Amino acid sequence: MMQRLFLTSTAVFWLAVLGFWIGSLSAPIAQPPAAPSVADRSISTAELAQHATPQSCWMAINGAVYDITGYLPDHPSRPQIIEVWCGKEASDAYATKTRGRPHSHEADQLLPKYRIGRFAP
Amino acid sequence: MAPRRLPGLLRRLSIPLLTLAVPLGFAWWAFPSELAPLRAAGIVAGWLGGGLLMVSLLLMLREPRLADWLGGLERMYRWHHTTGVLAYVLLLIHPLALAANGLATSPSFAWQTLSAFDGGWPVWTGWLGLVVLMVGLATAFSKKLSYGVWRWLHAGLAIGVLLGLIHLVLLGIDEPVLPIIAVVALIVGWRALRGDLGLAARPYIVAEVQPLTEQSVEIALRPLGQPLNVTPGQFLLVAFYRGPNYRGCGEFHPFTVSSVEHGDVLRIAVKALGDCTRQMLTMPRGVAARIIGGFDSVFAHHRAAPQLWVAGGIGITPFIGLLRAGPVPAPTTLLYLYRHEADAAFLDELKACAAADRRLTLQLEATGDALPDLKRLLPQAGQLIGVECYLCGPPGLIKGARSVLRRRGVTARQLHSEKYEFR
């Protein structure tokens, strides 16, 4: 029975991997959405600091401010790691993940979706 | 002094409880709150799989006392296989669930989450670990490989576990991974040093080798130090090394004790089933051996009730061990199945025992190359009421005999078996 479970699960796994790959080929790579009209709004350090909770989480990264409240549940690390940066300038944390490793290419692609303005400290 | 035994219920529940407690403990410890459900499911599957892998590793230890607490080495090996495969299935679910979570963003984002090519070393190590487990398990199920090759390939599964642990470290997750690595290293090191290199073994020397059939011998082993505390019918793990004009393969193989003489000289029956055991047919006296044991015995819960003993081939050994120890305690029928009379070990001795003990009925059956007709050979339902049934032999025979006996009203508690399968 264990042998059958091994063979079945292995076959299903590779079929699923194949499915994900084919799915990615058929769908175009998501382009960063056009910046919303408010994208050039200036956001000060004081206003940024007012959004320092998981319920309203803004971060300043490389001169832009992002509202990532909706993304928090999907972030790969445990919430405590990212939530401490809510309401703060987080460029260094984004660049190093606090462990000397940069975020992935897909994270860079995803970020513009959440842009809400320019950071004006 | 015999080691203190756990109560029967605790022994029966020990492995199932361990199998639940460790993975659920891991999942509770690392349970992700406030994450998307599929992402949380992927993380939980990973930790459950990791926990089950730890249990599987623990169950590969070859320590007589641990085996006694956990209900026997054969049972440990059975659960080792089950927990290993279940861990593998959960570890397959882990990346798929994480990728499925990405589908909400886009199919290409889901693929980027899964693909090792975009993920750097943290993802690469996870993938490599999974592929090593996949290949290792595929070989573990192979019956064609010789035991020596199979053993090394199976040990290679530890590399998969190691890569999985590196995956955890590189991910930089905030659960303390180092204690887990320390426990895994302790278990693997313990098994390698005590089980494979034989630090847990006692030194013995071959005192006598008596041919039983063309393909089997009985080997007497004399202790070179403190003898093991074992009884006939228990099995041991024995490795043979150098001797006069002889070089053993040095691998630990399971053998059943056929008798214990003067409290220290052990006899084991050996049938040539592979290269290593075939070499033992020509073993001279004076060969060095190391022994770990004793482990389970089919007679661990022996009761003085009417009995049916079913032996297939070299599976006769525990029964001869019991017969040599004295007359049977209750009316007993011994059904001994073998291919040809020339292949039947201990045949003359068994006939002599039956002639001397009127409570022992010997039923000899040469099956030739055909499968035995167990429905004809095993007693009918009326003759099995209150009878304790002890079965020893190849897995196919045990499975067939158990099935027939259960259909004839024998309860699980009346059935005791030993399968001789340690892969």
Side-chain angles (χ1 to χ4, degrees):
Chain A
M1 195 178 91
M2 285 297 124
Q3 188 170 9
R4 200 175 305 154
L5 179 60
F6 166 73
L7 292 172
T8 309
S9 59
T10 305
V12 170
F13 173 77
W14 285 115
L15 283 173
V17 171
L18 191 67
F20 277 111
W21 180 60
I22 291 170
S24 75
L25 293 181
S26 61
I29 294 174
Q31 293 300 316
S37 58
V38 292
D40 290 319
R41 184 167 81 83
S42 289
I43 297 170
S44 66
T45 307
E47 187 181 358
L48 178 69
Q50 288 169 9
H51 300 274
T53 65
Q55 289 72 39
S56 178
C57 178
W58 292 10
M59 279 184 206
I61 298 170
N62 299 332
V65 175
Y66 302 92
D67 177 359
I68 59 165
T69 311
Y71 177 66
L72 284 181
D74 291 334
H75 189 263
S77 79
R78 286 169 69 84
Q80 296 91 314
I81 289 181
I82 186 170
E83 282 170 11
V84 295
W85 294 100
C86 294
K88 293 179 183 162
E89 210 292 324
S91 300
D92 283 348
Y94 183 80
T96 65
K97 290 203 275 187
T98 71
R99 291 185 175 89
R101 290 189 296 274
H103 271 82
S104 63
H105 177 58
E106 62 262 32
D108 293 338
Q109 281 188 324
L110 208 57
L111 205 51
K113 187 176 164 185
Y114 299 98
R115 181 178 166 140
I116 55 169
R118 259 185 310 112
F119 185 44
Chain B
M1 194 176 74
R4 189 190 295 177
R5 308 196 76 187
L6 290 180
L9 181 66
L10 203 53
R11 290 172 82 232
R12 274 200 300 280
L13 291 179
S14 54
I15 298 182
L17 285 176
L18 205 60
T19 302
L20 285 175
V22 176
L24 289 179
F26 273 23
W28 175 78
W29 181 39
F31 193 82
S33 54
E34 300 169 39
L35 289 190
L38 274 171
R39 181 151 195 96
I43 292 170
V44 167
W47 282 104
L48 288 174
L52 276 176
L53 219 46
M54 290 269 282
V55 175
S56 186
L57 284 175
L58 180 74
L59 294 175
M60 72 178 185
L61 293 179
R62 294 170 162 183
E63 293 293 331
R65 187 165 294 191
L66 180 69
D68 189 56
W69 288 342
L70 298 179
L73 197 64
E74 193 190 0
R75 184 165 183 257
M76 284 173 70
Y77 273 47
R78 237 177 17 245
W79 279 87
H80 166 72
H81 296 155
T82 305
T83 49
V85 174
L86 291 179
Y88 168 74
V89 173
L90 284 162
L91 292 173
L92 291 181
I93 292 170
H94 166 65
L96 294 180
L98 295 181
N101 180 60
L103 286 173
T105 306
S106 76
S108 58
F109 183 70
W111 172 246
Q112 282 170 343
T113 306
L114 185 64
S115 165
F117 298 106
D118 298 308
W121 278 109
V123 183
W124 266 113
T125 46
W127 264 102
L128 286 173
L130 210 50
V131 169
V132 169
L133 286 183
M134 205 174 279
V135 174
L137 279 176
T139 57
F141 286 116
S142 170
K143 302 277 182 196
K144 291 178 184 168
L145 292 170
S146 71
Y147 179 70
V149 174
W150 177 89
R151 202 168 65 106
W152 279 109
L153 288 173
H154 199 60
L157 282 169
I159 297 170
V161 177
L162 180 70
L163 285 164
L165 292 170
I166 295 173
H167 167 69
L168 288 179
V169 172
L170 292 181
L171 278 173
I173 53 170
D174 55 349
E175 279 79 20
V177 177
L178 290 180
I180 300 174
I181 295 177
V183 171
V184 169
L186 182 70
I187 294 173
V188 172
W190 190 285
R191 162 65 198 252
L193 290 174
R194 288 182 59 84
D196 296 313
L197 295 177
L199 288 189
R202 301 267 176 92
Y204 275 71
I205 193 160
V206 173
E208 189 183 8
V209 180
Q210 282 190 332
L212 295 171
T213 67
E214 263 188 24
Q215 293 298 311
S216 59
V217 289
E218 188 176 35
I219 300 173
L221 293 148
R222 188 162 43 79
L224 294 176
Q226 179 81 6
L228 288 167
N229 181 17
V230 294
T231 54
Q234 278 192 297
F235 79 80
L236 311 166
L237 293 167
V238 187
F240 292 99
Y241 299 91
R242 286 175 181 275
N245 302 316
Y246 185 84
R247 186 173 179 175
C249 62
E251 290 170 1
F252 283 92
H253 285 251
F255 301 105
T256 304
V257 178
S258 54
S259 62
V260 181
E261 295 163 8
H262 317 299
D264 58 359
V265 176
L266 307 173
R267 286 182 180 271
I268 56 170
V270 175
K271 183 174 183 187
L273 295 170
D275 293 342
C276 188
T277 43
R278 191 164 298 113
Q279 207 182 356
M280 294 174 198
L281 299 179
T282 55
M283 187 183 296
R285 293 172 58 176
V287 171
R290 295 186 72 81
I291 306 181
I292 307 174
F295 295 101
D296 335 358
S297 167
V298 72
F299 294 115
H301 310 288
H302 197 206
R303 290 193 287 176
Q307 300 186 14
L308 170 68
W309 296 353
V310 179
I314 201 68
I316 191 66
T317 311
F319 301 114
I320 199 78
L322 211 65
L323 290 172
R324 282 175 177 174
V328 291
T332 300
T333 298
L334 169 54
L335 169 60
Y336 183 17
L337 303 157
Y338 43 81
R339 287 195 172 180
H340 309 285
E341 202 157 296
D343 303 327
F346 304 111
L347 200 53
D348 292 337
E349 192 175 347
L350 287 169
K351 287 175 182 172
C353 286
D357 188 345
R358 61 184 178 80
R359 293 209 279 190
L360 176 66
T361 305
L362 194 57
Q363 187 182 345
L364 303 172
E365 192 68 28
T367 61
D369 292 328
L371 291 172
D373 181 1
L374 293 171
K375 286 180 186 166
R376 175 181 66 81
L377 293 168
L378 290 169
Q380 294 303 313
Q383 298 167 286
L384 289 166
I385 296 166
V387 172
E388 294 289 314
C389 302
Y390 296 86
L391 321 172
C392 292
L397 172 70
I398 300 298
K399 193 177 170 191
R402 286 184 77 97
S403 164
V404 172
L405 291 169
R406 289 304 300 269
R407 281 201 301 271
R408 292 184 182 171
V410 174
T411 63
R413 285 180 67 86
Q414 287 173 267
L415 274 170
H416 316 274
S417 58
E418 194 170 282
K419 271 196 291 192
Y420 298 102
E421 190 180 51
F422 279 88
R423 279 198 180 192

Short mmCIF file of all heavy atoms in Angstrom, two decimals, chain B residues 2-8 10-11 64-65 67-72 234 294-297 299-302:
data_model
loop_
_atom_site.label_atom_id
_atom_site.label_comp_id
_atom_site.label_asym_id
_atom_site.label_seq_id
_atom_site.Cartn_x
_atom_site.Cartn_y
_atom_site.Cartn_z
N ALA B 2 16.34 -8.44 33.62
CA ALA B 2 15.57 -8.05 32.44
C ALA B 2 15.16 -6.59 32.54
O ALA B 2 14.88 -6.10 33.61
CB ALA B 2 14.33 -8.92 32.34
N PRO B 3 15.18 -5.86 31.40
CA PRO B 3 14.78 -4.45 31.46
C PRO B 3 13.31 -4.32 31.83
O PRO B 3 12.51 -5.19 31.52
CB PRO B 3 15.02 -3.97 30.02
CG PRO B 3 15.08 -5.19 29.18
CD PRO B 3 15.54 -6.29 30.07
N ARG B 4 12.98 -3.22 32.52
CA ARG B 4 11.60 -3.00 32.93
C ARG B 4 10.75 -2.76 31.68
O ARG B 4 11.13 -1.99 30.80
CB ARG B 4 11.52 -1.79 33.85
CG ARG B 4 10.16 -1.64 34.48
CD ARG B 4 10.04 -0.32 35.19
NE ARG B 4 10.96 -0.24 36.31
CZ ARG B 4 11.08 0.86 37.06
NH1 ARG B 4 10.39 1.93 36.79
NH2 ARG B 4 11.91 0.87 38.07
N ARG B 5 9.59 -3.44 31.59
CA ARG B 5 8.76 -3.33 30.41
C ARG B 5 7.64 -2.33 30.65
O ARG B 5 7.15 -2.20 31.77
CB ARG B 5 8.14 -4.68 30.04
CG ARG B 5 9.15 -5.78 29.93
CD ARG B 5 8.56 -6.95 29.21
NE ARG B 5 8.50 -6.66 27.78
CZ ARG B 5 7.91 -7.46 26.90
NH1 ARG B 5 7.31 -8.54 27.28
NH2 ARG B 5 7.90 -7.15 25.63
N LEU B 6 7.25 -1.65 29.60
CA LEU B 6 6.10 -0.75 29.70
C LEU B 6 4.83 -1.60 29.69
O LEU B 6 4.81 -2.68 29.13
CB LEU B 6 6.07 0.19 28.50
CG LEU B 6 7.13 1.28 28.41
CD1 LEU B 6 6.91 2.10 27.16
CD2 LEU B 6 7.10 2.18 29.63
N PRO B 7 3.74 -1.09 30.31
CA PRO B 7 2.48 -1.83 30.24
C PRO B 7 2.05 -2.02 28.79
O PRO B 7 2.38 -1.20 27.93
CB PRO B 7 1.50 -0.90 30.97
CG PRO B 7 2.35 0.01 31.78
CD PRO B 7 3.67 0.13 31.09
N GLY B 8 1.31 -3.13 28.55
CA GLY B 8 0.95 -3.50 27.17
C GLY B 8 0.27 -2.39 26.39
O GLY B 8 0.63 -2.12 25.25
N LEU B 10 0.37 0.84 26.82
CA LEU B 10 1.30 1.93 26.54
C LEU B 10 2.25 1.55 25.40
O LEU B 10 2.58 2.38 24.55
CB LEU B 10 2.10 2.25 27.82
CG LEU B 10 2.70 3.65 27.92
CD1 LEU B 10 1.64 4.71 27.69
CD2 LEU B 10 3.37 3.83 29.27
N ARG B 11 2.65 0.28 25.39
CA ARG B 11 3.54 -0.18 24.32
C ARG B 11 2.82 -0.12 22.98
O ARG B 11 3.39 0.27 21.97
CB ARG B 11 4.02 -1.62 24.59
CG ARG B 11 4.99 -1.71 25.74
CD ARG B 11 5.29 -3.13 26.10
NE ARG B 11 6.29 -3.71 25.23
CZ ARG B 11 6.16 -4.84 24.58
NH1 ARG B 11 5.05 -5.53 24.66
NH2 ARG B 11 7.13 -5.30 23.84
N PRO B 64 17.73 -2.43 21.68
CA PRO B 64 16.78 -3.42 22.23
C PRO B 64 15.78 -2.82 23.22
O PRO B 64 14.60 -3.14 23.18
CB PRO B 64 17.70 -4.43 22.92
CG PRO B 64 18.99 -4.33 22.18
CD PRO B 64 19.11 -2.90 21.76
N ARG B 65 16.25 -1.91 24.10
CA ARG B 65 15.32 -1.37 25.11
C ARG B 65 14.28 -0.47 24.46
O ARG B 65 13.09 -0.54 24.78
CB ARG B 65 16.11 -0.62 26.19
CG ARG B 65 15.21 -0.18 27.34
CD ARG B 65 15.98 0.24 28.54
NE ARG B 65 16.71 -0.86 29.15
CZ ARG B 65 17.29 -0.80 30.33
NH1 ARG B 65 17.21 0.30 31.03
NH2 ARG B 65 17.94 -1.83 30.81
N ALA B 67 13.27 -0.69 21.40
CA ALA B 67 12.39 -1.57 20.63
C ALA B 67 11.36 -2.21 21.55
O ALA B 67 10.19 -2.37 21.18
CB ALA B 67 13.22 -2.65 19.93
N ASP B 68 11.78 -2.56 22.76
CA ASP B 68 10.86 -3.17 23.71
C ASP B 68 9.77 -2.17 24.12
O ASP B 68 8.59 -2.49 24.17
CB ASP B 68 11.64 -3.66 24.93
CG ASP B 68 10.76 -4.48 25.84
OD1 ASP B 68 10.20 -5.48 25.35
OD2 ASP B 68 10.61 -4.13 27.02
N TRP B 69 10.17 -0.92 24.37
CA TRP B 69 9.20 0.11 24.76
C TRP B 69 8.20 0.37 23.63
O TRP B 69 7.03 0.65 23.89
CB TRP B 69 9.90 1.44 25.07
CG TRP B 69 10.67 1.43 26.35
CD1 TRP B 69 10.54 0.56 27.39
CD2 TRP B 69 11.71 2.35 26.73
NE1 TRP B 69 11.43 0.87 28.38
CE2 TRP B 69 12.15 1.97 28.00
CE3 TRP B 69 12.30 3.45 26.10
CZ2 TRP B 69 13.17 2.65 28.67
CZ3 TRP B 69 13.29 4.12 26.76
CH2 TRP B 69 13.72 3.73 28.03
N LEU B 70 8.69 0.30 22.40
CA LEU B 70 7.84 0.68 21.27
C LEU B 70 7.14 -0.51 20.63
O LEU B 70 6.56 -0.40 19.56
CB LEU B 70 8.67 1.44 20.23
CG LEU B 70 9.29 2.76 20.72
CD1 LEU B 70 10.11 3.42 19.62
CD2 LEU B 70 8.24 3.72 21.22
N GLY B 71 7.19 -1.66 21.28
CA GLY B 71 6.43 -2.81 20.79
C GLY B 71 7.16 -3.71 19.82
O GLY B 71 6.53 -4.50 19.13
N GLY B 72 8.48 -3.59 19.74
CA GLY B 72 9.26 -4.52 18.92
C GLY B 72 9.89 -3.85 17.71
O GLY B 72 9.37 -2.87 17.18
N GLN B 234 13.86 -15.27 20.17
CA GLN B 234 14.11 -13.85 19.93
C GLN B 234 15.01 -13.73 18.70
O GLN B 234 15.73 -14.67 18.36
CB GLN B 234 14.85 -13.22 21.11
CG GLN B 234 13.94 -12.83 22.26
CD GLN B 234 14.68 -11.96 23.27
OE1 GLN B 234 15.63 -12.42 23.88
NE2 GLN B 234 14.23 -10.74 23.42
N GLY B 294 18.71 -8.92 22.51
CA GLY B 294 17.76 -9.52 21.63
C GLY B 294 16.50 -8.67 21.46
O GLY B 294 16.12 -7.88 22.32
N PHE B 295 15.94 -8.87 20.32
CA PHE B 295 14.75 -8.12 19.95
C PHE B 295 13.51 -9.01 20.10
O PHE B 295 13.53 -9.99 20.83
CB PHE B 295 14.92 -7.57 18.54
CG PHE B 295 16.03 -6.56 18.43
CD1 PHE B 295 17.27 -6.91 17.93
CD2 PHE B 295 15.83 -5.25 18.86
CE1 PHE B 295 18.29 -5.99 17.83
CE2 PHE B 295 16.85 -4.31 18.77
CZ PHE B 295 18.08 -4.68 18.25
N ASP B 296 12.48 -8.66 19.32
CA ASP B 296 11.17 -9.29 19.45
C ASP B 296 11.23 -10.81 19.37
O ASP B 296 12.14 -11.38 18.77
CB ASP B 296 10.21 -8.84 18.35
CG ASP B 296 10.55 -7.48 17.76
OD1 ASP B 296 11.49 -6.86 18.23
OD2 ASP B 296 9.87 -7.07 16.84
N SER B 297 10.23 -11.41 19.91
CA SER B 297 10.03 -12.84 19.73
C SER B 297 8.55 -13.06 19.44
O SER B 297 7.70 -12.41 20.03
CB SER B 297 10.41 -13.61 21.00
OG SER B 297 9.93 -14.92 20.91
N PHE B 299 7.04 -15.35 20.42
CA PHE B 299 6.49 -15.93 21.65
C PHE B 299 6.53 -14.96 22.83
O PHE B 299 6.48 -15.38 23.98
CB PHE B 299 7.27 -17.20 22.02
CG PHE B 299 7.08 -18.30 21.03
CD1 PHE B 299 8.13 -18.76 20.26
CD2 PHE B 299 5.83 -18.88 20.84
CE1 PHE B 299 7.96 -19.76 19.34
CE2 PHE B 299 5.65 -19.89 19.93
CZ PHE B 299 6.71 -20.34 19.17
N ALA B 300 6.62 -13.65 22.53
CA ALA B 300 6.72 -12.66 23.62
C ALA B 300 5.52 -12.75 24.57
O ALA B 300 5.64 -12.49 25.75
CB ALA B 300 6.82 -11.26 23.03
N HIS B 301 4.36 -13.11 24.05
CA HIS B 301 3.15 -13.20 24.89
C HIS B 301 2.65 -14.64 24.91
O HIS B 301 1.46 -14.90 24.77
CB HIS B 301 2.08 -12.25 24.36
CG HIS B 301 2.59 -10.87 24.15
ND1 HIS B 301 2.89 -10.03 25.20
CD2 HIS B 301 2.92 -10.20 23.02
CE1 HIS B 301 3.36 -8.89 24.71
NE2 HIS B 301 3.39 -8.98 23.41
N HIS B 302 3.58 -15.57 25.07
CA HIS B 302 3.26 -16.99 25.00
C HIS B 302 2.35 -17.39 26.16
O HIS B 302 2.63 -17.06 27.31
CB HIS B 302 4.57 -17.77 25.07
CG HIS B 302 4.42 -19.18 24.61
ND1 HIS B 302 5.23 -20.18 25.03
CD2 HIS B 302 3.55 -19.75 23.75
CE1 HIS B 302 4.86 -21.32 24.48
NE2 HIS B 302 3.85 -21.07 23.68
#
